[in-house]
Amino acid sequence: MVVKEYVTYNQVHKLCQEAAPRILEDFQPQLMIAIGGGGYVPARILRSFLKQPGSPNIPIQAIGLSLYEQLPSTHPSSSSTPGEVEQPGTKVTRTQWLDLTSLGEMENLVGKRILIVDEVDDTRTTLEYAVKELEKDVEIARKKLGYEGEPTKFSIFVLHNKNKEKKGRLPEDMLDENRYLAARTVEDVWICYPWEAADIDEHDEMARKQPTAGNI
Ligand SMILES: O=P(O)(O)OC[C@H]1O[C@H](OP(=O)(O)OP(=O)(O)O)[C@H](O)[C@@H]1O
């Protein structure tokens, strides 16, 4: 049986708050790239905690990557119901990407410290894809611009990292330089995030009742 852990909005907020000082100190991000949909809410919360007096907000760019797509059902009894555990997909689909044709937009990435934000690092397939593809595109932009200054540095923030064998790999230098931060490392449980809830009161109630009380 799959163990479900319910996480509340309050908890997501606190995980971002708790991680912010370390992100500021270690990564000093100039830009965030949120991996949608799960990375959007954490990125927005984090932005407020990363805001420094006298400096503007850190911009958030969005990319959409999807791994756990539910195939359209052919059988009525197997149709998707809210809260149903989805089956992991095997391939990453881009649903949204940076505008590579806009040199201005790409110029904003070249030579910057960029924080990639997602809610969960499960098999790591999505993060591997995101880092590889972003590095590739930034390198193309760097060449186009003839930029030879500071290298672009990607770091990662996730709310939860699942302690399991990973299918995806992150660059060695990223791990060596500790440019990866998970607010929590958890067992291989199914995490129910509040934005997926059909009934948020019921969701919060489930979180309250579980032994971890939404504190994973
Ligand atoms: O580590 P992995 O095994 O790659 O899984 C993690 C990814 O899976 C989920 O995305 P999903 O495809 O469900 O899309 P969503 O964020 O829009 O729900 C989640 O938001 C991560 O991006």
Side-chain angles (χ1 to χ4, degrees):
M1 203 191 87
V2 183
V3 177
K4 284 189 177 185
E5 283 280 356
Y6 292 81
V7 177
T8 65
Y9 278 115
N10 198 289
Q11 181 63 9
V12 170
H13 198 92
K14 286 180 179 164
L15 291 175
C16 293
Q17 180 170 21
E18 181 194 293
R22 214 186 119 190
I23 291 172
L24 280 172
E25 199 170 308
D26 294 357
F27 308 155
Q28 298 162 5
Q30 295 161 296
L31 180 92
M32 277 188 271
I33 295 183
I35 303 179
Y40 295 159
V41 176
R44 175 58 190 89
I45 295 172
L46 205 52
R47 194 182 74 175
S48 294
F49 288 115
L50 297 179
K51 171 95 169 70
Q52 297 292 282
S55 299
N57 267 314
I58 296 171
I60 303 175
Q61 296 258 25
I63 57 173
L65 295 177
S66 194
L67 181 73
Y68 287 65
E69 280 299 286
Q70 193 88 34
L71 293 173
S73 172
T74 49
H75 193 280
S77 65
S78 62
S79 65
S80 178
T81 51
E84 184 181 342
V85 172
E86 294 174 325
Q87 291 308 306
T90 48
K91 114 179 200 302
V92 179
T93 312
R94 280 188 193 197
T95 54
Q96 188 186 343
W97 200 251
L98 307 168
D99 182 5
L100 305 175
T101 58
S102 159
L103 209 53
E105 186 169 307
M106 293 311 291
E107 200 174 353
N108 288 332
L109 307 187
V110 176
K112 294 285 172 22
R113 294 181 299 276
I114 302 169
L115 182 66
I116 299 170
V117 180
D118 207 351
E119 92 280 36
V120 64
D121 176 356
D122 187 355
T123 65
R124 204 164 272 179
T125 310
T126 305
L127 284 172
E128 176 187 291
Y129 180 93
V131 173
K132 267 195 188 150
E133 295 296 298
L134 287 168
E135 282 187 336
K136 218 163 38 187
D137 288 340
V138 165
E139 180 56 15
I140 293 169
R142 187 195 66 78
K143 282 192 180 140
K144 264 193 201 152
L145 293 161
Y147 174 87
E148 299 288 350
E150 284 290 303
T152 310
K153 287 227 164 166
F154 288 99
S155 51
I156 290 175
F157 171 69
V158 291
L159 299 172
H160 297 100
N161 173 32
K162 291 191 191 175
N163 190 10
K164 66 195 278 187
E165 183 141 0
K166 302 293 186 185
K167 286 192 199 140
R169 296 267 168 270
L170 295 173
E172 287 297 325
D173 61 330
M174 177 180 262
L175 299 173
D176 291 348
E177 293 170 23
N178 283 327
R179 281 185 277 118
Y180 175 97
L181 175 63
R184 292 284 182 278
T185 299
V186 298
E187 291 314 305
D188 191 10
V189 293
W190 186 273
I191 307 171
C192 302
Y193 289 99
W195 43 86
E196 291 160 3
D199 182 332
I200 194 64
D201 295 325
E202 193 183 291
H203 177 97
D204 285 355
E205 187 59 16
M206 296 294 278
R208 202 182 56 77
K209 277 202 235 147
Q210 67 200 3
T212 52
N215 258 315
I216 69 159

